Amino acid sequence: MGRRTLPKIDPHVDVSRHLVALESLSEPFDPQCLFPKPQPLELEIGSGKGHFLLAQSSQCGQSNFLGNEIAGKYARFVAYRLALQDRANARIISGDGLRLFKTYLPNECANAVHIYFPDPWWKARHQRRRVMQPEFIADIERVLKSSGLLHFWTDVETYYHESLQLLADNSRMRGPFPVEEMAATHDLDYRTHFERRMRINGHDVFRAQFSKP
């Protein structure tokens, strides 16, 4: 299912506080320096249109949320939405998320990592491009604090089971722990826009949570 056209943004809105280019970071860097004050940090890879960052930064003001999006126009759109609502505790990094984890993020800096509906890269010759690979799983475990959580959701059942096996084979994380599907109380009461699309159209969503020992 392809990405839809983004709404136009007001070019006069300053997104510089919320949009961070990966290339502008030092190696490694303290992600807390992007926020007005240090708070428990949660990371999202593949932020899309930014629904998770917007919702969670509103609901959890005592945490900082750092998203990542490889598509530059989507990252700018997310930053625009965050800027409109003046979200001090949310930022988006534009660039390769795998490189962000591998090169820039320090050890044990995050309380949670969120991965929602990553591209399944259906063709066999493209599956090496998948997010869930042994090297990335090692980086997730490295950046998570003790008892930190990994949230992994997908609408592709085969990808779900393959990813769970990769996590079992390549990490010490406990799980998978089941995640109950919650009834939506309003039209945007979903973790991401993609989850909303899947559930409205009657498609299954496969969810798992892991904990770093």
Side-chain angles (χ1 to χ4, degrees):
M1 189 177 295
R3 287 184 162 185
R4 298 178 178 178
T5 303
L6 291 172
K8 292 184 178 180
I9 66 175
D10 182 351
H12 298 101
V13 174
D14 181 11
V15 301
S16 61
R17 190 161 62 97
H18 293 88
L19 179 63
V20 181
L22 183 66
E23 293 75 16
S24 70
L25 302 177
S26 58
E27 302 180 20
F29 88 113
D30 178 6
Q32 296 289 356
C33 74
L34 301 176
F35 302 94
K37 59 180 179 179
Q39 300 186 130
L41 177 69
E42 302 197 21
L43 305 169
E44 182 191 25
I45 184 167
S47 295
K49 295 179 181 178
H51 184 80
F52 170 79
L53 291 179
L54 282 159
Q56 292 301 110
S57 62
S58 173
Q59 296 170 15
C60 307
Q62 301 307 309
S63 292
N64 289 329
F65 294 88
L66 180 59
N68 162 257
E69 176 56 48
I70 194 169
K73 65 179 182 180
Y74 273 78
R76 179 167 288 275
F77 180 72
V78 174
Y80 173 72
R81 299 180 72 191
L82 294 172
L84 285 178
Q85 299 190 25
D86 195 26
R87 291 296 166 78
N89 64 328
R91 300 287 186 270
I92 181 80
I93 290 180
S94 176
D96 184 351
L98 301 185
R99 186 176 165 215
L100 169 66
F101 272 71
K102 171 65 68 178
T103 306
Y104 294 93
L105 293 175
N107 296 344
E108 299 185 346
C109 66
N111 293 73
V113 172
H114 301 264
I115 305 173
Y116 299 122
F117 306 99
D119 193 327
W121 291 105
W122 294 102
K123 295 181 180 179
R125 68 178 183 272
H126 292 159
Q127 289 184 5
R128 60 185 176 81
R129 303 181 186 176
R130 286 180 171 181
V131 166
M132 298 303 283
Q133 299 286 352
E135 296 82 2
F136 182 56
I137 288 170
D139 285 325
I140 292 173
E141 189 168 9
R142 180 183 61 78
V143 304
L144 279 174
K145 294 184 176 181
S146 177
S147 300
L149 300 178
L150 167 64
H151 304 268
F152 173 67
W153 296 14
T154 177
D155 61 313
V156 182
E157 186 172 9
T158 55
Y159 189 14
Y160 175 78
H161 291 296
E162 290 169 5
S163 298
L164 265 54
Q165 189 62 54
L166 281 171
L167 282 156
D169 293 342
N170 296 280
S171 79
R172 300 176 297 111
M173 287 190 282
R174 300 189 182 106
F177 303 112
V179 180
E180 181 181 357
E181 180 172 291
M182 305 298 292
T185 59
H186 53 80
D187 187 52
L188 291 177
D189 189 19
Y190 299 93
R191 189 61 62 94
T192 71
H193 282 293
F194 200 91
E195 185 203 5
R196 177 181 179 276
R197 288 166 64 186
M198 292 299 99
R199 290 176 60 181
I200 286 176
N201 287 285
H203 299 301
D204 291 329
V205 174
F206 303 94
R207 305 169 176 84
Q209 181 174 287
F210 292 82
S211 175
K212 178 176 176 177

